[in-house]
Amino acid sequence: MIKNVLFVTLFAVVIAADAKKPCCGPTKFMAGNGASVGQVITDPDTNTSRSEGFFTYQYGAFDFERKMFGYNMSVTYPNGTSTLIRLIQNYAQKYQYIILDALQYCQKQQVTEPQPTNCIPNNATWQSSFRIGGAKGGSLFADSWTYKFVHPKDAVEGDIVANVFQDDCSPFSTTFIGDRFEGGRKVPLISMGGLLNLTSGIPHPEEWFTVPDFCPKEINSLTTNMARSASYLPDLEFFQLPLFF
Ligand SMILES: *[C@@H]1O[C@H](CO)[C@@H](O)[C@H](O)[C@H]1NC(C)=O
Ligand SMILES: *[C@@H]1O[C@H](CO)[C@@H](O)[C@H](O)[C@H]1NC(C)=O
Ligand SMILES: *[C@@H]1O[C@H](CO)[C@@H](O)[C@H](O)[C@H]1NC(C)=O
Ligand SMILES: *[C@@H]1O[C@H](CO)[C@@H](O)[C@H](O)[C@H]1NC(C)=O
């Protein structure tokens, strides 16, 4: 009996020492962030649905200390149609610029919530550990975490799986399965993405965070002709989600 209790106690200690704690990744880095997104769009008038898919790729500077993100972004449909924009997001001051450099077009808006984070949230559940890499070595060890987003607290509702390297908690892949919301209506959404070519630090912050002279000082809306011609601007709400975790 005593032996058993001892065994159970030891076992519990071993489990506790082994329990994985949510971690935080690098705070300042350059990286590419690519994602494949699929969604089901319903026309409220005809009540007919269609599915669509597209690829997004962002490359730029991610500064979680200053809460600033500056990157080029492309959105590409399978038919080859592609849109290129540049973003400067300032979450400390809650605004963002959407920039089309070629047209000298710039729009100042409220930032897109939720604010990206470099941490696995405390409510996440550790799922598994694994190794990635080929048979010849050069392996990296990783942890898989899952957690939920809940509407209306979060802009989307559903399940996230985030995989991070054990080494420094750098995220390398994220999957979201759930819904986004469009005026109270659910839009089923699946997205899979990840970071690549991550390098520590931001060697040229001015290149990514300097707001061009042609940008407005105040929040503006699509009013000018040029803006109207740029109204193919993507709906950032969901292109952005989930950026990291
Ligand atoms: C390509 O697909 C997108 C999204 O479905 C659509 O908006 C666009 O008009 C298409 N372009 C061409 C050239 O078919
Ligand atoms: C980002 O886009 C701008 C044009 O908006 C371009 O001048 C710059 O070279 C791009 N940077 C990268 C790294 O692709
Ligand atoms: C888990 O934490 C994240 C980040 O704080 C939050 O957005 C989400 O709503 C939380 N999920 C639940 C189920 O509380
Ligand atoms: C990633 O980095 C490698 C090596 O520097 C480079 O050759 C490659 O083009 C980069 N990939 C992307 C998608 O930027």
Side-chain angles (χ1 to χ4, degrees), residues 66-221:
R66 291 172 64 199
K67 299 190 169 74
M68 284 190 73
F69 310 103
Y71 50 88
N72 285 357
M73 174 164 133
S74 64
V75 176
T76 308
Y77 285 91
N79 65 13
T81 305
S82 192
T83 307
L84 270 174
I85 58 172
R86 187 156 73 90
L87 272 103
I88 299 174
Q89 298 178 299
N90 184 332
Y91 278 87
Q93 295 180 3
K94 300 280 173 211
Y95 60 75
Q96 67 186 17
Y97 294 97
I98 297 180
I99 302 158
L100 294 161
D101 285 292
L103 296 175
Q104 299 235 316
Y105 169 72
C106 183
Q107 196 187 338
K108 184 177 183 179
Q109 311 176 319
Q110 305 277 343
V111 278
T112 317
E113 298 289 354
Q115 182 178 317
T117 160
N118 62 324
C119 294
I120 298 282
N122 286 327
N123 60 19
T125 307
W126 174 80
Q127 207 69 21
S128 63
S129 294
F130 56 93
R131 179 182 70 81
I132 60 168
K136 284 188 174 170
S139 300
L140 292 165
F141 289 90
D143 286 313
S144 186
W145 295 88
T146 65
Y147 59 97
K148 282 185 189 303
F149 281 135
V150 281
H151 189 75
K153 185 172 63 145
D154 300 305
V156 292
E157 184 155 289
D159 295 283
I160 295 268
V161 180
N163 296 322
V164 298
F165 289 122
Q166 282 179 4
D167 191 24
D168 64 351
C169 197
S170 300
F172 68 93
S173 89
T174 319
T175 303
F176 173 78
I177 301 176
D179 299 284
R180 65 183 178 92
F181 291 81
E182 220 173 70
R185 259 180 324 114
K186 281 186 175 181
V187 178
L189 177 72
I190 178 166
S191 134
M192 273 159 291
L195 292 184
L196 54 85
N197 285 358
L198 190 152
T199 53
S200 188
I202 300 169
H204 303 289
E206 69 291 344
E207 201 175 298
W208 299 99
F209 299 140
T210 304
V211 176
D213 293 339
F214 56 80
C215 282
K217 300 278 175 287
E218 306 298 330
I219 302 257
N220 64 346
S221 52

Side-chain angles (χ1 to χ4, degrees), residues 37 54 56 58 73 75 77 234-241:
V37 182
F54 52 86
T56 68
Q58 302 161 335
M73 174 164 133
V75 176
Y77 285 91
D235 174 358
L236 292 160
E237 283 271 328
F238 67 91
F239 283 113
Q240 227 208 333
L241 274 164

